[in-house]
Amino acid sequence: GAEQRQRHREDHRQGLQPALVLAGQHEVHQQQGDREHVVDLVADHLLLIRHRGPRRAHRRRQRLGGDFAHQRHRFAGAEAGGLAADDGQHQQHEADDARELPDRAHVQRDDKGNLVSAAQTLRNVIAEGVLADSLGLDYFSIGEHHRDDYSVSAPDTVLAGLATVTKKLILGTGVTVLSSDDPVRVYQRFATIDALSGGRAEITAGRGSFIESFPLFGYELSDYEVLFEEKLQLLAEILKEGPVSWQGTLRAPLLNQNIYPKTERGAIPLRVGVGGTPQSVVRAARVGARLALAIIGGDPARFAPFAALYRESLAKFGHPELPVSIHSPGHISETDEQAIEEHYPKETIRAI
């Protein structure tokens, strides 16, 4: 009916953002010496690249009357672990905590099916980052949301925690919602993370998949384009770590202003997350930022023209060639067949 179609539209609008990049299964297996054990660990604890999975699965369970969601999705979504209680019931969220919290404060379920609080989800993210580091993964990225079904509203704070308990992981965002933030504060927070981590911080700036941050921080949606354009220009200037002179239309100007703290390595890498418009690709090239293509669905090959446009634009603006990254959702198992069955169980497909 109409309500179900609306739910589908809402699900479709929710973006997928990257949370980690595998160092390569072969190297991970070599380090651990137990292929099956490592695959289970990765699948159980590091499936951090989906947002809508748990919530959609919960809705489907309600519609189909079955619990087909694979248990390996229980930690899905480093940003917030996205499973919200829809039945309006107050439930206990931890075995050693008898308090009852409002149903919307719960965003995940544990192995026993108990609702997990946002606070516990944040602690889970730290544990997952530590595990990722120990397994030799390269990159750990956390997104930003200001909703009841996502736990991380301050990803840089979580990354600062990870900086002190990891050794090699590159720590980034996917994405920092720059339109509703202050580029000066963004730089200062990430320069702090860079210091704590020994030079492992990265920024991926974007406009995000939702708009809840605009009214929350007092911005007008009518300024959607100019906010991101001006703030990206300012952030790019600040990241050069010299005196900044800049003037825009929606923020006080800066005149020969130094921003502190300076980083030991002299620069923090910047990516721009792009959903697939030529204007956004050219904007990233103009400021000399790396490009991150958000491939939410479909054949990745259709994004090749954007990569080509990016490289052409870099040359036009006098910048050297820079790497292009993509994100794509995934599920890790021992074989392709097992991954398909776990992610799309036959009984689920038949029921749909």
Side-chain angles (χ1 to χ4, degrees):
E3 182 179 352
Q4 185 175 4
R5 289 194 297 273
Q6 178 63 25
R7 283 199 298 264
H8 283 304
R9 284 194 293 269
E10 291 174 357
D11 284 345
H12 181 71
R13 283 198 299 267
Q14 293 190 32
L16 305 179
Q17 300 179 3
L20 55 88
V21 178
L22 290 177
Q25 290 187 8
H26 178 67
E27 289 78 9
V28 174
H29 297 156
Q30 278 189 331
Q31 291 175 12
Q32 295 297 318
D34 184 345
R35 188 171 190 272
E36 182 176 354
H37 174 63
V38 173
V39 170
D40 285 344
L41 279 175
V42 173
D44 281 346
H45 298 287
L46 298 179
L47 191 64
L48 310 180
I49 51 180
R50 289 163 38 97
H51 291 312
R52 58 182 176 172
R55 200 167 188 182
R56 291 183 70 184
H58 182 53
R59 288 171 178 161
R60 289 178 182 171
R61 283 199 298 271
Q62 289 181 318
R63 292 198 293 269
L64 303 176
D67 186 2
F68 56 78
H70 195 273
Q71 286 297 313
R72 288 180 177 178
H73 287 172
R74 64 184 180 274
F75 287 131
E79 283 208 64
L83 181 62
D86 292 329
D87 57 6
Q89 300 295 318
H90 292 189
Q91 300 191 35
Q92 183 175 334
H93 74 282
E94 289 178 297
D96 60 347
D97 189 346
R99 295 174 304 161
E100 290 185 335
L101 299 179
D103 63 315
R104 298 299 287 180
H106 301 96
V107 293
Q108 290 184 325
R109 291 184 183 271
D110 61 19
D111 290 337
K112 298 180 181 179
N114 298 318
L115 293 170
V116 177
S117 68
Q120 183 58 50
T121 300
L122 292 171
R123 292 189 287 269
N124 288 347
V125 172
I126 297 297
E128 291 159 358
V130 171
L131 179 61
D133 192 49
S134 70
L135 292 176
L137 275 70
D138 291 322
Y139 194 94
F140 196 91
S141 178
I142 305 175
E144 173 188 344
H145 284 284
H146 304 272
R147 304 162 55 91
D148 60 354
D149 52 345
Y150 292 88
S151 295
V152 180
S153 59
D156 36 45
T157 304
V158 180
L159 294 176
L162 281 168
T164 64
V165 292
T166 56
K167 297 179 180 179
K168 296 182 179 179
L169 271 182
I170 296 173
L171 304 171
T173 47
V175 300
T176 294
V177 183
L178 187 60
S179 305
S180 55
D181 212 331
D182 184 340
V184 173
R185 294 296 288 147
V186 169
Y187 167 78
Q188 290 177 327
R189 295 194 300 265
F190 276 88
T192 301
I193 297 168
D194 205 60
L196 294 174
S197 65
R200 292 184 284 126
E202 290 193 2
I203 303 170
T204 300
R207 291 184 280 194
S209 304
F210 303 97
I211 58 173
E212 71 274 1
S213 64
F214 283 79
L216 181 63
F217 297 116
Y219 293 100
E220 298 291 337
L221 278 175
S222 58
D223 295 326
Y224 186 81
E225 290 291 336
V226 67
L227 278 168
F228 189 71
E229 179 75 32
E230 291 190 358
K231 291 187 176 188
L232 182 62
Q233 292 173 3
L234 177 54
L235 180 60
E237 286 300 313
I238 294 172
L239 288 172
K240 296 175 183 177
E241 300 200 18
V244 177
S245 293
W246 178 91
Q247 184 170 354
T249 62
L250 298 175
R251 188 200 187 281
L254 297 175
L255 179 60
N256 202 34
Q257 178 70 57
N258 274 291
I259 313 296
Y260 301 101
K262 307 296 185 183
T263 65
E264 291 178 328
R265 56 176 169 163
I268 298 173
L270 172 66
R271 286 187 179 87
V272 175
V274 172
T277 64
Q279 296 88 344
S280 297
V281 171
V282 173
R283 180 188 293 118
R286 183 182 297 116
V287 299
R290 300 177 186 180
L291 180 67
L293 288 170
I295 302 180
I296 295 175
D299 186 352
R302 66 188 178 90
F303 285 80
F306 294 111
L309 174 61
Y310 173 67
R311 295 186 177 100
E312 292 172 6
S313 300
L314 283 174
K316 175 183 176 182
F317 295 120
H319 298 300
E321 186 166 324
L322 296 170
V324 176
S325 62
I326 67 170
H327 101 278
S328 181
H331 181 80
I332 300 171
S333 291
E334 186 75 19
T335 65
D336 289 348
E337 293 75 17
Q338 181 181 343
I340 292 170
E341 174 57 25
E342 291 172 351
H343 201 58
Y344 301 107
K346 290 184 177 66
E347 62 268 23
T348 301
I349 302 302
R350 286 195 294 268
I352 293 175

